[in-house]
Amino acid sequence: MNEKQKQNLIRIVITSVIMIALNFIEADGMFRFTLYIIPYFIIGHDILIKAVKGIRNRQPFDENLLMAIATLGAIALALYRSGDYVEAIAVMLFYQIGEWFQSYAVGKSRKDIADLMDIAPDYANMENEDGQLEQVDPDDVEIGSVIVVKPGERVPIDGTVVEGHSTLNTAALTGESLPRDVESGNEIISGSINLTGLLKVRTTKEFGESTASKILELIEDAGSRKSKSEEFITKFARVYTPIVVWAAVALAVIPPVVLTVMDSEPMWGEWLYRALTFLIISCPCALVISIPLSFFAGLGAASRHGILVKGSNYMETLSETKTVVFDKTGTLTKGTFSVVAIHPEKLDENQLLHLAAHVERYSSHPIALSLLEAYPNEHDDCRIENTEEIAGRGIKAIINGDTVCVGNARMMEDLGINWKPCEHSGTIVHVAINGEYEGHIVVADTPKPHSKAAIKALKAQGIRETVMLTGDAKAVADVVAAELGLDQVRSDLLPQDKVSEVEKLLAGKRSEDEALAFVGDGINDAPVLSRADIGIAMGAMGSDAAIEAADVVLMDDDPFKIATAIRISKKCLRIVKENIWFAIGVKVLVLIAGALGFASMWAAIFADVGVAVLAIFNAMRCMYVKAQDPETIN
């Protein structure tokens, strides 16, 4: 609890104790009034001050004015009639209890978001000419500079590790509980916490463009984007409150006047009591508090899972998603080549891979890097000479006196070597020794570990159609789509073609209430992310343009989090609708009962504060969404 929550809780406890104590004190007249007015002002003085300020600022019609009129009127009636001030004080007391629960719930949700807000460090460590560490402003660190991150410190700027190895806590960014090991050559993002070893990092971005800074900007903007439900409630309260105030005035005045004209007892006190009860019942607290709170709790729950939703309007749209369209490379697949199959003729698999890695030792081509990754121990006693790269074909080298050629089918044909085709999808790397064909290695961009589970989880969430758009060849795209269980695949697409395909899918929607989500990571995905109803970007390795254009950012690039985001959004919207119907339903029933004289001020307290507290508790359920284990998805 923060200091303000503690103070309000103390006020609630003190008022409750005084009210209990007053039950044992016999008092009448002004002495009784004085005794009861003390707890009233203790618990309600801030409401009265806000009501006065609202009148002074010419914005009087809010719940503070309703509470002030109703309770002061009830005190006046008690002074005039019965001396029973308990109802008026109870109204204020229970209202403050409802406000306290709201504040507590908001604080709990805010903590989840604050964990993300607390990711930008105040300094970066740089070595000066004497070799001593000096703390500098991260804004002053240029791209390519080497910074030092000590154990326990946050990584201030995105970069690549050039020296050292350590373990990073990325929970605030990605929602992952397990630390991540890093060493020289690994990329790391700002906001992570260095847990164990000293790291030297070469910066790849300026501080203002780094991951932590971007996230903070997105979080700051998120609160200003309201959902349709929130906008409706705001407009509703603006119109509704003055209507019920004048309705209460009419209820207090018109019936007594009519009764007077009819020569009957006007019962001014009775109708005034009904009007005051009507005012308390009509207070729109439950709606005004619980709806924004539901969305705020949903945003907090999403951030705890490493999902940044840029506003409650996007949370609402996400819940309406029926079609999810994916980019392939870097989204559903790793975006890096790896060896997926080895088919030797005479040698064993290890020998074939060994020779290919030797030949590709000095190449920086992605295919070469995948071979070196598959056979990392190629630095042995073999003698490698006369390495020659043949553009568009492959590489030739002499290894221990044997001429080894590693390349594509055209290289084999140019050398007059009879090569064998492969049924596997991917890039085929053929190997020949001294003019004899020795087999081939299949290199491909492989799906991410959770991609298949992500598609199944989306289907379980009610997603009707999953589509993949890619610039890859049809054969490669079809294999990936079949492996992951996608409904449709469109291949051989240029960036502008992806926009056209999304336009077609949007035009084919069954209803305006249905939403289409696009998931991508590259700079060429930014136009499609902006065009879709909801754009989802991979945040860890995605381009800045994609993250900027997207409405939802997945901080760990895990496609399975898409299903989690939709699950959170659906729960959030379900709770919002429950609160709207519950609050309006109860209020309408009790308003009618109050106007007819069947509801006392205690019923009014339930209709106002009781409903608000129940709605707040219901809204707090948005904060608790369990993470699913992708391994359990069948």
Side-chain angles (χ1 to χ4, degrees), residues 17 108 202 387 461 625:
V17 170
K108 196 165 177 58
R202 188 176 302 280
T387 301
Q461 288 295 328
V625 179

Side-chain angles (χ1 to χ4, degrees), residues 26-233:
E26 292 289 337
D28 294 310
M30 289 306 296
F31 179 56
R32 180 179 176 82
F33 170 77
T34 304
L35 288 177
Y36 276 91
I37 208 69
I38 292 171
Y40 175 79
F41 279 114
I42 290 174
I43 197 66
H45 68 273
D46 54 333
I47 303 297
L48 300 176
I49 292 170
K50 288 175 186 175
V52 171
K53 286 181 178 178
I55 295 170
R56 194 169 59 209
N57 296 331
R58 297 181 181 180
Q59 293 179 329
F61 294 112
D62 61 10
E63 64 269 24
N64 296 305
L65 180 67
L66 296 182
M67 299 300 295
I69 293 173
T71 55
L72 289 173
I75 287 174
L77 276 177
L79 188 62
Y80 167 70
R81 293 197 313 180
S82 62
D84 185 3
Y85 306 102
V86 175
E87 285 182 336
I89 300 169
V91 169
M92 279 293 191
L93 177 61
F94 285 111
Y95 178 78
Q96 292 287 21
I97 291 172
E99 288 286 297
W100 186 87
F101 276 117
Q102 178 215 358
S103 175
Y104 177 78
V106 168
K108 196 165 177 58
S109 295
R110 196 181 297 277
K111 183 180 181 301
D112 295 324
I113 298 175
D115 288 340
L116 274 178
M117 292 291 283
D118 189 31
I119 58 177
D122 299 323
Y123 62 89
N125 297 315
M126 295 188 71
E127 288 185 354
N128 57 25
E129 295 177 355
D130 300 328
Q132 300 296 314
L133 290 183
E134 181 181 351
Q135 293 184 355
V136 300
D137 190 324
D139 274 321
D140 296 335
V141 179
E142 298 179 353
I143 296 175
S145 302
V146 175
I147 60 174
V148 177
V149 185
K150 295 186 287 186
E153 292 183 336
R154 289 190 182 272
V155 178
I157 306 170
D158 295 4
T160 303
V161 178
V162 293
E163 187 180 319
H165 56 85
S166 183
T167 303
L168 296 183
N169 179 351
T170 63
L173 295 166
T174 66
E176 288 181 300
S177 56
L178 290 176
R180 185 163 67 94
D181 294 328
V182 294
E183 58 186 12
S184 182
N186 292 152
E187 293 185 356
I188 59 176
I189 55 178
S190 54
S192 307
I193 301 174
N194 183 19
L195 296 178
T196 53
L198 187 77
L199 293 175
K200 290 190 176 181
V201 180
R202 188 176 302 280
T203 60
T204 54
K205 292 181 181 178
E206 293 180 348
F207 176 68
E209 297 299 316
S210 63
T211 302
S213 297
K214 289 289 184 184
I215 291 171
L216 292 177
E217 289 176 17
L218 297 177
I219 293 171
E220 287 164 5
D221 291 342
S224 63
R225 297 187 173 102
K226 290 190 174 183
S227 67
K228 289 179 285 186
S229 300
E230 286 177 291
E231 289 175 351
F232 162 73
I233 293 302

Side-chain angles (χ1 to χ4, degrees), residues 314-328:
Y314 302 124
M315 182 75 77
E316 192 164 27
T317 306
L318 193 61
S319 71
E320 299 166 348
T321 301
K322 291 297 180 185
T323 303
V324 179
V325 183
F326 297 90
D327 173 49
K328 182 181 83 70

Side-chain angles (χ1 to χ4, degrees), residues 113 116 215 217-225 227 295-319 534-537 547 550-555 561-562 564-566 568-569 572-573:
I113 298 175
L116 274 178
I215 291 171
E217 289 176 17
L218 297 177
I219 293 171
E220 287 164 5
D221 291 342
S224 63
R225 297 187 173 102
S227 67
F295 283 109
F296 197 73
L299 294 174
S303 68
R304 195 164 60 246
H305 287 277
I307 303 162
L308 177 58
V309 184
K310 294 185 182 179
S312 53
N313 55 332
Y314 302 124
M315 182 75 77
E316 192 164 27
T317 306
L318 193 61
S319 71
I534 190 93
I536 303 174
I547 294 170
D551 309 311
V552 178
V553 181
L554 308 179
M555 294 315 303
K561 291 290 179 69
I562 303 166
T564 303
I566 291 176
I568 292 170
S569 68
C572 180
L573 264 293

Side-chain angles (χ1 to χ4, degrees), residues 455-482:
I455 303 301
K456 289 183 178 179
L458 286 171
K459 293 290 185 182
Q461 288 295 328
I463 300 301
R464 193 165 51 240
E465 195 169 36
T466 53
V467 184
M468 185 175 75
L469 306 181
T470 179
D472 279 356
K474 186 176 186 304
V476 175
D478 287 347
V479 169
V480 173

